[in-house]
């Protein structure tokens, strides 16, 4: 069962500049940052609030580390902006299987490692009314 909006992913050309915008404009601070070599991104997670299920909601700022990464290709085509929405779940495997049975394409056969050690998969945007959708089980949930 999906329990919350885990994060909104925002693609950007310059992570440091974008972090500074969110810090100076809204007061959001970086909670976590990392480079995900597999996905080809440098990212910063800005915590927005805690949630009733023990998780949190974040903005995830994503800068590609290579042009051929999914985010790099997306930026080249669309420019900066909202890249995806992610929903938190206690069991990404179970929810992905349930959603797949409803005819929605799940992009990974097995969940992959995401930010902060989470387990993630994505749903095809053409099956989700144009929205790239991520399912996330955070390390604290599994």
């Amino acid at each position: 069962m999906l329990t919350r909006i885990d994060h909104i992913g925002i693609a950007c050309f310059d992570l440091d500049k974008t972090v500074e915008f969110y810090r100076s404009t809204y007061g959001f601070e970086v909670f976590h940052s990392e480079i995900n070599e597999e996905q080809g991104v440098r990212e910063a997670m800005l915590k927005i609030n805690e949630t009733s299920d023990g998780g949190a909601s974040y903005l995830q700022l994503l800068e590609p580390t290579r042009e051929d990464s999914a985010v790099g290709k997306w930026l080249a085509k669309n420019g900066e902006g909202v890249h995806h929405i992610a929903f938190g779940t206690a069991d990404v495997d179970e929810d992905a299987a349930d959603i797949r049975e409803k005819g929605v394409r799940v992009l990974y056969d097995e969940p992959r490692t995401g930010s902060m050690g989470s387990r993630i998969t994505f749903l095809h945007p053409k099956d989700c009314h144009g929205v790239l959708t991520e399912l996330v089980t955070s390390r604290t949930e599994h």
Side-chain angles (χ1 to χ4, degrees), residues 14-79:
D14 184 329
L15 184 66
D16 297 327
K17 184 177 175 181
T18 307
V19 165
E20 178 54 27
F21 169 80
Y22 282 97
R23 189 200 61 70
S24 65
T25 304
Y26 306 115
F28 299 152
E29 296 294 338
V30 174
F31 177 78
H32 175 83
S33 62
E34 68 181 80
I35 295 174
N36 186 317
E37 295 292 346
E38 180 184 5
Q39 294 181 23
V41 294
R42 181 174 160 235
E43 67 177 79
M45 297 291 275
L46 311 177
K47 185 185 271 188
I48 307 306
N49 68 319
E50 302 290 333
T51 61
S52 62
D53 66 357
S57 293
Y58 302 90
L59 286 181
Q60 179 187 46
L61 307 179
L62 301 160
E63 175 190 67
T65 58
R66 56 181 197 270
E67 290 179 13
D68 68 339
S69 70
V71 172
K73 291 176 187 176
W74 190 90
L75 268 172
K77 181 179 177 182
N78 300 294

Side-chain angles (χ1 to χ4, degrees), residues 61-109:
L61 307 179
L62 301 160
E63 175 190 67
T65 58
R66 56 181 197 270
E67 290 179 13
D68 68 339
S69 70
V71 172
K73 291 176 187 176
W74 190 90
L75 268 172
K77 181 179 177 182
N78 300 294
E80 293 184 306
V82 175
H83 179 261
H84 67 274
I85 185 169
F87 294 107
T89 172
D91 190 336
V92 69
D93 297 277
E94 182 179 325
D95 283 333
D98 289 347
I99 290 169
R100 182 180 278 125
E101 286 179 12
K102 294 174 182 170
V104 175
R105 287 174 281 179
V106 178
L107 299 183
Y108 304 152
D109 289 331

